[in-house]
Amino acid sequence: MTSDAPTAPPRIEPATLKDIPTIIQLAEATWEPTYRFIISREQIDYMYRVIYTPASLQRQMAEQQHSFLLAYVAGEPAGFASFSPLPAAEDDEAGFKLHKIYVLPTRQGQGLGVHLIEAVENAARAAGGQFLDLNVNRYNPALAFYERRGFARHREVDVPIGPYFMNDYIMRKEL
């Protein structure tokens, strides 16, 4: 039986190094379903190995200034996001980049992604951020989600990752 009662908002907390196993668990459940219709199986496997090893995640947190947020629904981890400040632009605008946002397939469509994006936007704004950029594959259905959240296509890039390329849009939202 379903209820029309509003669901409680997710609990969103900053992640620490001790949360790396939880981030990996969420990535394992979201990575392949997100990309299987966009890039090759070989590219999915390669990128996952580069980005989601414990050492890589530790480097992102400790050395690359990536802040991770974990979203919990009913006490269980259901999604995560990461972001960091961008190097200062020529025009001195302070920008941030949303690196990752993933929600468990079983939790998609419940507003969790919106809550995560809002938490990132609020943190970036509180740190003096004037805009938030993100990369999204040009063929990713999530484009529409980002556009509904106020992001606009800023430019196209082809990002080399090992022997592969990510064919992305950089999308930007003014904060």
Side-chain angles (χ1 to χ4, degrees):
M1 188 165 136
T2 59
S3 168
D4 291 334
T7 57
R11 189 177 86 242
I12 297 177
E13 297 182 355
T16 65
L17 292 172
K18 74 175 176 50
D19 294 310
I20 286 176
T22 300
I23 292 166
I24 290 172
Q25 177 185 25
L26 289 166
E28 286 173 350
T30 58
W31 188 258
E32 195 271 341
T34 300
Y35 292 108
R36 68 175 151 216
F37 299 114
I38 301 172
I39 58 178
S40 72
R41 171 46 120 195
E42 293 78 16
Q43 186 172 353
I44 290 171
D45 292 343
Y46 178 86
M47 289 175 54
Y48 185 87
R49 287 192 312 268
V50 168
I51 299 169
Y52 289 105
T53 64
S56 177
L57 288 167
Q58 183 172 350
R59 195 166 39 257
Q60 291 167 48
M61 288 179 173
E63 298 169 23
Q64 298 171 356
Q65 296 182 309
H66 291 209
S67 297
F68 281 74
L69 299 175
L70 283 168
Y72 295 87
V73 175
E76 294 295 319
F80 70 96
S82 78
F83 64 99
S84 70
L86 286 168
E90 306 83 45
D91 55 8
D92 288 330
E93 272 197 289
F96 280 74
K97 181 169 184 179
L98 174 65
H99 295 283
K100 301 171 187 60
I101 180 168
Y102 294 99
V103 173
L104 289 175
T106 56
R107 291 290 183 182
Q108 291 176 3
Q110 301 174 9
L112 194 53
V114 171
H115 285 286
L116 279 166
I117 288 232
E118 288 175 351
V120 169
E121 290 172 2
N122 290 338
R125 206 177 283 116
Q130 295 166 294
F131 65 88
L132 181 62
D133 281 357
L134 61 85
N135 284 41
V136 61
N137 185 283
R138 293 194 286 265
Y139 306 103
N140 191 330
L143 271 168
F145 169 78
Y146 295 125
E147 288 169 340
R148 285 193 307 274
R149 300 301 320 144
F151 288 85
R153 295 174 195 185
H154 190 60
R155 66 181 191 270
E156 289 186 17
V157 294
D158 294 312
V159 182
I161 298 182
Y164 304 100
F165 283 90
M166 286 301 292
N167 308 114
D168 288 353
Y169 289 119
I170 294 179
M171 300 186 79
R172 176 170 286 182
K173 180 176 182 177
E174 299 297 325
L175 299 174

